[in-house]
Amino acid sequence: MSGKLYVVGTPIGNLSDFSPRAVETLASVDFIAAEDTRVTLKLLNHFEIKKPMVSYFEHNRRERGEIILERIKSGENCAIVTDAGMPAISDPGEDLVDLCLSNGITVESVPGPTAFATAMAMSGLPSGRFTFEGFLSVNKPSRREHLEEIVSERRTMVFYEAPHKLTATLKDLYKYLGDRRIALIKELTKIHETVERTTLSEACEKYSAQTPKGEFVIVIEGSTEPKQKEVSLDEAVALAKGLVENGMAINDAAKEIAKETKLKKGDIYKALLGE
């Protein structure tokens, strides 16, 4: 009979946040797949747990994933952990979860603290709808593409960033998004936890003159402008005709499509009338 994969959330700072169930799970599995075995060893030692570990991270995930899968297939139970927070969230653990599920292995959750959700709750910004954006790529084309995609995003956005990259990231966000309200949250659940409510322009100015310290979560308010589609006049007319066919007045249809595009209502209206 095959074993199971347990996805175990670990503390993002304060070890007291580690749940009794998580402790019990790590103590009961046959082995642990860890992002950094040195970091996980400190956690295990604190809770007096002794278990064999295998390293599983971005650069060995394909080779190690197959090895871990075979061990689980042979009947061993495995817990996957990351250095902090939930595995598989902006983390190569997602590949192992996918691999196990694709091979009929039972995957069980042992949830724990997650930085983006905790930061969202602490930010004071609208949380009814938000999007987790992870880390911006250091690859310039990928970074530019990501930034261009979120210019018109209306939901609150959450990013992770390392201290040595924070200033450059704030400047790029300001360049593409303009001035927005943000919350800079660092060292969550740790002694020096701080929530700084500011704006992108003020944050750029501050951290251009001051060296950031600590791991940051950046929470940014969404765009207040509705996203406009870039379409040709013919495409806009086709969309408007669809509304008219469903019973909308020509004037109202032209007005509605003009709102969603960069075209003028009058041009769409005239085209609908065949002028």
Side-chain angles (χ1 to χ4, degrees):
M1 180 183 290
S2 296
K4 291 182 180 180
L5 175 69
Y6 293 87
V7 181
V8 182
T10 56
I12 57 177
N14 193 319
L15 291 179
S16 297
D17 294 333
F18 204 43
S19 73
R21 181 172 168 233
V23 173
E24 181 183 340
T25 300
L26 293 191
S28 68
V29 295
D30 296 291
F31 70 105
I32 298 168
E35 179 183 2
D36 186 329
T37 56
R38 296 165 299 180
V39 173
T40 300
L41 182 59
K42 293 177 183 177
L43 179 71
L44 297 182
N45 287 341
H46 181 83
F47 290 98
E48 300 181 342
I49 299 170
K50 293 185 178 181
K51 286 292 167 180
M53 289 186 284
V54 296
S55 66
Y56 177 86
F57 55 92
E58 179 64 30
H59 300 296
N60 72 0
R61 58 193 166 93
R62 289 184 175 83
E63 174 196 349
R64 289 290 168 83
E66 293 294 338
I67 293 171
I68 293 168
L69 175 65
E70 290 306 313
R71 290 184 66 173
I72 297 174
K73 280 183 174 180
S74 72
E76 292 187 81
N77 290 322
C78 173
I80 181 171
V81 298
T82 186
D83 289 351
M86 280 300 289
I89 302 296
S90 196
D91 174 80
E94 66 179 292
D95 289 345
L96 183 60
V97 172
D98 179 48
L99 183 63
C100 286
L101 290 173
S102 298
N103 282 271
I105 299 297
T106 298
V107 178
E108 192 168 310
S109 66
V110 185
T114 307
F116 76 82
T118 307
M120 188 68 249
M122 295 286 285
S123 71
L125 290 171
S127 60
R129 297 181 66 203
F130 66 91
T131 171
F132 174 57
E133 299 292 333
F135 290 93
L136 280 176
S137 173
V138 294
N139 175 275
K140 288 185 178 180
S142 298
R143 189 180 182 91
R144 182 173 62 250
E145 182 181 359
H146 189 167
L147 288 163
E148 288 173 347
E149 285 177 355
I150 63 170
V151 167
S152 299
E153 176 58 68
R154 302 194 75 182
R155 294 169 292 184
T156 303
M157 294 169 281
V158 185
F159 290 85
Y160 287 164
E161 195 51 277
H164 65 284
K165 297 178 183 175
L166 180 70
T167 303
T169 292
L170 289 171
K171 288 179 178 178
D172 281 346
L173 288 168
Y174 181 46
K175 174 182 176 182
Y176 281 85
L177 304 183
D179 212 6
R180 305 266 185 99
R181 290 187 300 153
I182 67 169
L184 286 175
I185 301 165
K186 70 176 183 179
E187 299 296 274
L188 276 166
T189 77
K190 300 175 186 176
I191 294 173
H192 299 293
E193 173 183 285
T194 60
V195 179
E196 183 181 358
R197 285 165 57 88
T198 181
T199 64
L200 276 172
S201 62
E202 290 173 352
C204 286
E205 183 177 354
K206 176 179 177 178
Y207 289 105
S208 292
Q210 178 179 316
T211 303
K213 294 180 181 179
E215 298 297 321
F216 284 83
V217 183
I218 310 169
V219 184
I220 309 173
E221 71 173 340
S223 171
T224 56
E225 296 296 324
K227 184 175 180 180
Q228 292 186 315
K229 301 173 185 176
E230 290 192 20
V231 299
S232 66
L233 179 59
D234 288 342
E235 290 171 325
V237 170
L239 291 170
K241 282 182 178 178
L243 296 178
V244 172
E245 289 170 2
N246 285 320
M248 187 177 284
I250 292 177
N251 185 62
D252 291 338
K255 184 178 180 180
E256 184 66 27
I257 298 303
K259 283 182 186 177
E260 299 176 7
T261 67
K262 295 181 178 180
L263 298 170
K264 294 180 180 178
K265 171 195 164 186
D267 292 339
I268 299 171
Y269 182 79
K270 289 178 182 178
L272 281 170
L273 295 177
E275 295 180 8

